Amino acid sequence: MMPRWLTRQGWTAWDAVAALVLGAAGVWLTRTAWADITHIASVDEEESHIFLVPIIAIWMLWARRLRLRSCPPGGRYVGPIAVAGGWILWF
């Protein structure tokens, strides 16, 4: 059951599941880069500040939670085009 404030903004259960699946797929597809970043940060003390990033990201999401509530889902072609462009640059 979706929270009422999400359904008022046009979100459905499918939107939430799709967001989680796509986020997980993004992390999975870039897992070698994540592993490399983690390795470098754990070995080099000058790079260890990277471990603060998840904490700061969670804090920023919490601090902007009211603003995030007003973001309705919408189908746009800009996202897939940006992903395709990033994939082409990576490849």
Side-chain angles (χ1 to χ4, degrees), residues 4-90:
R4 195 171 31 171
W5 61 270
L6 278 176
T7 57
R8 278 185 277 167
Q9 297 301 329
W11 284 81
T12 63
W14 168 247
D15 294 323
V17 169
L20 290 173
V21 168
L22 290 174
V27 171
W28 174 256
L29 291 173
T30 57
R31 67 190 179 281
T32 55
W34 288 102
D36 190 37
I37 290 169
T38 304
H39 174 71
I40 291 171
S42 63
V43 172
D44 188 0
E45 66 183 33
E46 291 182 2
E47 303 293 335
S48 64
H49 63 277
I50 196 68
F51 293 123
L52 295 175
V53 171
I55 298 166
I56 301 297
I58 291 169
W59 175 79
M60 289 175 66
L61 285 171
W62 182 81
R64 296 291 184 175
R65 67 189 181 281
L66 295 176
R67 188 174 290 187
L68 289 172
R69 287 183 180 181
S70 64
C71 296
R76 305 283 191 280
Y77 290 108
V78 175
I81 290 170
V83 169
W87 181 76
I88 289 169
L89 289 173
W90 173 79

